[in-house]
């Protein structure tokens, strides 16, 4: 089997992080992983996603429970509407 070039992208909504304006603010981020592989049988996507949430939480100094994986469409809509850093959306607990 020939090698496959695969890009895995995850999009995040991050709430209450100081880097995005603090309590009540929502920020957005994405992570991408480029792979050149023969197969993805040993790749655990759920574990990868959980690990990425942990990394984003550490980088943004946010609680993991304040980070949600969102769709590419949600990410792009919010990045177009707001600042690349954060927008003025409020969220309810």
């Amino acid at each position: 089997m020939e090698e496959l070039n695969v890009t895995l992208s995850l999009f995040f909504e991050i709430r209450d992080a100081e880097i995005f304006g603090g309590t009540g603010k929502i920020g957005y981020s994405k992570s991408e992983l480029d792979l050149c592989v023969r197969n993805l049988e040993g790749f655990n996507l759920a574990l990868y996603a959980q690990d990425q949430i942990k990394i984003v939480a550490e980088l943004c100094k946010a609680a993991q429970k304040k980070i949600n994986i969102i769709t590419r469409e949600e990410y792009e809509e919010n990045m177009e509407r707001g600042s690349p850093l954060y927008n003025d959306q409020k969220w309810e607990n």
Side-chain angles (χ1 to χ4, degrees):
M1 172 183 233
E2 70 182 64
E3 291 184 341
L4 304 169
N5 293 306
V6 179
T7 300
L8 297 172
S9 300
L10 291 174
F11 303 90
F12 304 97
E13 175 186 83
I14 305 158
R15 296 172 282 161
D16 295 339
E18 286 300 318
I19 193 170
F20 295 116
T23 302
K25 299 292 185 177
I26 303 171
Y28 297 91
S29 182
K30 71 176 177 177
S31 70
E32 290 186 335
L33 175 65
D34 292 322
L35 300 169
C36 184
V37 296
R38 293 194 187 275
N39 69 59
L40 291 172
E41 284 182 29
F43 189 82
N44 184 329
L45 185 56
L47 181 59
Y48 172 73
Q50 287 303 316
D51 286 345
Q52 288 300 296
I53 288 172
K54 289 178 190 173
I55 290 167
V56 170
E58 288 178 21
L59 288 172
C60 295
K61 297 181 179 22
Q64 289 182 38
K65 67 182 181 180
K66 302 287 184 160
I67 300 171
N68 294 310
I69 295 175
I70 60 174
T71 66
R72 177 187 302 267
E73 292 77 21
E74 288 174 289
Y75 173 81
E76 289 174 352
E77 285 174 12
N78 284 292
M79 292 303 289
E80 287 173 9
R81 274 192 280 165
S83 159
L85 293 178
Y86 65 89
N87 62 41
D88 290 325
Q89 292 182 27
K90 295 284 184 186
W91 71 282
E92 299 293 325
N93 286 332

